Amino acid sequence: MKDLYYWKNWNPTFKIVFWVLVLLFFSQVVTILAVETIGTDNLIKWHVLTQESSYLVDIKTITKGFFDFTINAEKKVLTEVYSGGEVPTAGYTYPIMMAVIIAALLVYLSIVTLLKRFWYLVAMGGMLAFLAMLHVEMLELFGWSDTKALALVFVLLLLPSYFLHAFNQNAGFIKRLWVMAVTFLIIGGLIYFFSEAEQPYIRWFVYGSLAPYILLILFILTIAHEIISLFARAITSTSGIDNNARIKHFLILSFIYWVYILLTYLNIAHYIDWDLFYINPLVLLVISSVLSVWGSRARAGLYAGASNIEAIWPILHLLIAVVSLGMVIIFMLSVNDPLLRIIDDLIIYAHLGIGIAFILYILYNFIPLIEKGIEIRKVLYNPTNLPFLTYRLMAIMIVVALFAIKGFDYPVWYSLGGYDNLRGDYALQKGDVDLAKAYYSNGNIYAYRNHKSNYSLALLEEEKKPDEANKRYKFATDQQPKAQTYVNKAILDDRTRDAFTALFTLQNGLEELKGNSYITNNLALQFEKVKVADSAIFYLKSTVKGNRKVKNNLLALSAKYGIPLGSDSTYLLSDLDRAGKSNASALGVSSKMEMQNANHMYDMVLLNNLLLTDQFSVEDSSLIKAKEIIDNTDDQDYKDQLLFNWSLAAYEVGNIAQSLDVLKALSSNSTSLSERAKVVMGILYLDLNAYNQAEEMFASLLDDSFLLQVSVSSLESGNFENDIEYWKSRLIGGDEMEQELAQVILDVLYEDNPILDTDVKRYVYGRYMRYFIDETAENELLKKIENNTLRIDLALYLADNYYQYGNNTGTLLMLKNIEEISLNMDQYKSFLIIKALSSDDAELVQEIIVEYDSLIGFASNDYLLENTLNHKAGLSLDSLDYLHLAEDNPFFADAVLIGTSQFTEQNDPFLNYNYLAKAVQTNLSSPKLLRAYILKALDVGLDQFAENALYQYRQRFSGQSYLLLKAEYDKKKLEQNNLLDSEPAE
């Protein structure tokens, strides 16, 4: 146990220094293992580029006779593309590492004063060499940039050191530390006040990093035998093993270990490419380093001639260890692959060469002791046959021979390349991009096509020289394939419109780095760009677990292409981030509208999709909340898009007036949505039977692609005299069905005496000539239609048309034609609605309500219909219901009249008039509304408005209905005049 606690009897000061170094050492060990576990590739940053894309979805299809018109809108999804970020410079570690080096030098100079004269001089010579390689001249003390700065610093360190060594030999270690610390403070003061270098300590470390790097190389060579040494100590100190078998056990363990090292060497030297588990060089370094802490005491006997103080050798070893491992950490954190590659190769070469040499050293010196079962740990470094120095020389020769196989220039040039990378990082950290480029370029020249240099250069050249950057990314993948490099190269390929080259780049990357989720994500999105959606979904599903961005993209593409999520839907729709919620909303998964505005892309996409998928209701405050959010949005493009979708949502819930108001505003003010708003308004006017307004809206587009819409609107309004050329054009330009229909229209509507010899011709004639024939003629025509589908459709259409014009007799006559015919649920729904609305019998209306409710049920957007029927059935509604009836849908004339009728007893005599005026301005085709407006205008004393509206009525509607209204108008006006004449004069 004494060997495990060999520091027990040390001087307390040595103990403290030792334990401080041990704690620092093991923190470095943990850091190396942690970084290696994470992987240096993962230290290169990732950026996420969130891209918005749209796709059309059908919102509503309007059928008018033989013609279908679809309203579509843009749902939006967010795809998240990875791009490789900056290689870390690890600049924050430079001052820490410089502090470690200075502290190590302080302890070192304090310890060497305890050595005997010859060894003291050797140690100070080593110090001079270290300072020379540390490039003290980079401090620019007093402006010096030559050896004068080195001489000054060395003399300042030498004088107190030599004083302690030669003239104050009895001084304690604490005093030695204090004396040297004061010296370091003096040097620090000189640097602070007289250094002309910017950030002198950091600059000193960067440009002098070759000094600790060479120390690292020596450290690796020094400890490479420790694992073999462990085997020897373990075998000889373990009881229960036959003495004669000990040497066999040692040889077996050593052989297995050495073979694995050999296989690893053959792999990194590219002699074999077998799918084996190879030893990680840095893990090997960590193990050897830990073992060397205990082995350093055993090696103390080698240096007994220098000093008989045992403590100084483990402390000196730890000083070298913490500086060496600190450099390894910096190389790892900065992903400096040339230096890491040299270190990895050196570790394997050292363990291979020094390992076999140490095995031979043990066998040549200690076979008799091992066979006798004697523990050799105490004499391991005190050989009797082969001197330890001879073993060292033989080991170094083997390592040199291994490097000779690959070429001596390789470690030198790669070391210089890594050194320039370190200087490039420093320049980049200072913001000197041009200098950084120069250093990285030199780094690439020395360490040919190393990843660090080329990747860093590519990032710096991406914007101004994309072709050069693309070439650099290609170089970077040659020796060190990393996901960030493949991804960035593919992005550049795609940016130059070479989508398939980008695809191949990512495929090559995925083949090289199997299972990498970052490459897989971008590969899937690249497949989507080249319109191969099934492959995109396949790759996303293959790597969806554990990557939130992949999950978000899978939701986006599933929504965009209508591909089911499958068995993973629960996982995919749970624990969503903002982008995920936005994409899920495109699939109809509702989310709360927690935003205050939609200026951010995430909020805009979420609200955009909610407006197109959520079933808002008039009682629900969500539609009002959505409008408030939109009004608070500053981005005009976002605002217009959301207003467009809001208008569609408002239309679907029955708020027709606000829907059309918003579309009108967009058609006038929006630069990007003006045409779309007009198209949608035209289709909605068709749906609302406002055919003249639909025709005017489509005609205003001045686009031949809407000639069909213009012509259908003309057919429906009865103004089809000027459309004959369009239908003639369809005889040539249309498909077979269009040609047949165009021929029927031409034969039926544009001939003086059409021959109605088919059901289709009878249907066309009855539908589009309804303004020119009365209900009796229509009734006779309906009886001749044998096709039940056409007969039902025409009867329901004519019944609704007569109802809108207040001709309830005609309405009931049309419905009687289909009472004996079996109707499907949609047809029967329309039948019941028209029958109830056109009836003045409250009991009959109540019966229809009960039947409708039991068979079909009123949806939330049927609130105007339900309230209208309830009122006709004799039920009283609350004031809010009447308000909705009055203002929500001006194209539902009966609802408006019922709603406005409730305001006649209120103090404001114009309230009723205002609602009617607004409805008439929106719905230009309703004789019921215009008639009510004319009479109300008279009631409130707006005679001129009433007279103008009466003139409009005469222009729009039939002579008989006008004569009836004129008689009522004259009677009311006469009554008002008589009332005025009878009032006494004041």
Side-chain angles (χ1 to χ4, degrees), residues 425-602:
D425 287 347
Y426 174 60
L428 196 61
Q429 184 182 335
K430 291 196 304 177
D432 193 338
V433 175
D434 292 335
L435 183 60
K437 288 181 182 179
Y439 279 131
Y440 289 136
S441 296
N442 282 341
N444 178 57
I445 293 171
Y446 288 129
Y448 183 61
R449 294 194 176 183
N450 74 86
H451 184 274
K452 171 85 175 183
S453 298
N454 284 286
Y455 183 88
S456 299
L457 284 169
L459 283 179
L460 296 174
E461 301 286 8
E462 269 189 350
E463 294 301 323
K464 295 183 178 179
K465 299 179 180 179
D467 291 338
E468 175 69 18
N470 201 317
K471 181 176 70 175
R472 290 292 181 183
Y473 282 131
K474 175 63 176 66
F475 292 163
T477 61
D478 284 351
Q479 295 187 21
Q480 291 283 331
K482 298 183 189 296
Q484 292 88 341
T485 313
Y486 284 110
V487 162
N488 285 4
K489 185 181 186 307
I491 290 173
L492 280 181
D493 290 336
D494 190 66
R495 190 186 299 174
T496 57
R497 301 187 183 278
D498 196 352
F500 284 98
T501 299
L503 191 70
F504 299 145
T505 296
L506 291 169
Q507 286 178 318
N508 292 336
L510 192 60
E511 183 178 351
E512 188 73 34
L513 303 171
K514 293 177 173 56
N516 185 279
S517 62
Y518 300 99
I519 297 178
T520 305
N521 177 78
N522 283 27
L523 177 60
L525 296 182
Q526 196 65 33
F527 268 115
E528 194 261 339
K529 281 188 177 181
V530 298
K531 309 303 181 185
V532 188
D534 53 345
S535 293
I537 294 291
F538 168 78
Y539 278 105
L540 290 174
K541 285 187 174 181
S542 70
T543 189
V544 68
K545 298 293 185 182
N547 190 313
R548 190 181 290 274
K549 306 306 178 187
V550 173
K551 181 167 78 168
N552 293 344
N553 290 335
L554 181 55
L555 291 174
L557 298 192
S558 295
K560 195 171 184 179
Y561 295 98
I563 300 174
L565 296 176
S567 58
D568 287 336
S569 60
T570 302
Y571 163 74
L572 293 172
L573 295 173
S574 62
D575 189 27
L576 297 173
D577 59 12
R578 292 178 70 189
K581 290 177 181 177
S582 300
N583 290 339
S585 67
L587 290 164
V589 178
S590 181
S591 295
K592 293 181 180 179
M593 293 185 291
E594 297 175 345
M595 70 288 286
Q596 297 301 313
N597 56 58
N599 290 323
H600 196 286
M601 178 169 53
Y602 291 133

Side-chain angles (χ1 to χ4, degrees), residues 59-343:
I59 301 300
K60 189 178 186 68
T61 298
I62 307 300
T63 300
K64 288 296 171 181
F66 297 107
F67 306 99
D68 291 332
F69 302 103
T70 300
I71 296 174
N72 51 47
E74 290 183 351
K75 279 192 177 181
K76 295 182 180 294
V77 291
L78 300 173
T79 50
E80 297 182 299
V81 180
Y82 285 109
S83 69
E86 302 78 15
V87 180
T89 60
Y92 60 91
T93 63
Y94 298 167
I96 298 173
M97 191 62 211
M98 197 63 209
V100 170
I101 292 174
I102 292 172
L105 289 175
L106 171 61
V107 177
Y108 174 83
L109 287 171
S110 301
I111 285 178
V112 298
T113 60
L114 297 170
L115 301 180
K116 295 178 181 179
R117 181 60 53 87
F118 172 77
W119 293 105
Y120 169 77
L121 295 175
V122 170
M124 292 307 293
M127 169 60 68
L128 178 60
F130 186 83
L131 289 175
M133 290 185 292
L134 203 56
H135 291 294
V136 179
E137 67 275 8
M138 300 309 297
L139 292 172
E140 297 183 18
L141 281 173
F142 306 106
W144 299 336
S145 58
D146 52 18
T147 56
K148 289 195 289 292
L150 172 62
L152 174 62
V153 171
F154 182 69
V155 168
L156 288 175
L157 293 174
L158 178 64
L159 290 176
S161 172
Y162 187 76
F163 171 78
L164 291 171
H165 169 73
F167 301 106
N168 199 357
Q169 297 178 356
N170 296 323
F173 188 63
I174 293 180
K175 182 178 180 180
R176 295 172 188 270
L177 281 172
W178 276 112
V179 171
M180 295 311 304
V182 169
T183 306
F184 273 81
L185 287 174
I186 293 172
I187 295 173
L190 290 174
I191 294 172
Y192 183 82
F193 290 105
F194 300 105
S195 173
E196 297 182 7
E198 182 183 0
Q199 297 178 322
Y201 287 105
I202 297 176
R203 188 167 187 254
W204 190 12
F205 167 74
V206 171
Y207 286 90
S209 56
L210 285 179
Y213 174 65
I214 291 174
L215 196 65
L216 168 61
I217 292 173
L218 295 175
F219 177 70
I220 292 172
L221 295 174
T222 302
I223 65 171
H225 69 287
E226 290 291 349
I227 294 178
I228 298 294
S229 175
L230 173 66
F231 294 158
R233 294 198 303 268
I235 290 297
T236 58
S237 63
T238 302
S239 60
I241 302 178
D242 185 71
N243 290 340
N244 294 329
R246 290 180 187 273
I247 192 64
K248 295 178 182 178
H249 286 289
F250 169 73
L251 288 174
I252 291 172
L253 281 176
S254 300
F255 179 76
I256 294 173
Y257 161 76
W258 188 82
V259 166
Y260 244 105
I261 296 295
L262 177 62
L263 291 173
T264 304
Y265 162 75
L266 294 174
N267 177 256
I268 65 174
H270 302 292
Y271 292 115
I272 62 172
D273 190 20
W274 300 344
D275 189 13
L276 296 175
F277 175 77
Y278 297 102
I279 296 175
N280 186 307
L282 291 178
V283 173
L284 207 59
L285 173 64
V286 166
I287 294 172
S288 300
S289 299
V290 172
L291 293 175
S292 71
V293 174
W294 277 262
S296 62
R297 190 252 182 169
R299 290 194 301 275
L302 295 171
Y303 318 113
S307 175
N308 58 1
I309 303 174
E310 180 185 89
I312 66 175
W313 307 114
I315 291 175
L316 285 174
H317 179 79
L318 279 170
L319 290 175
I320 298 172
V322 295
V323 172
S324 300
L325 295 187
M327 293 304 294
V328 173
I329 291 171
I330 288 177
F331 299 156
M332 294 177 76
L333 292 178
S334 61
V335 198
N336 200 333
D337 57 292
L339 292 176
L340 288 174
R341 180 174 176 180
I342 293 297
I343 291 169

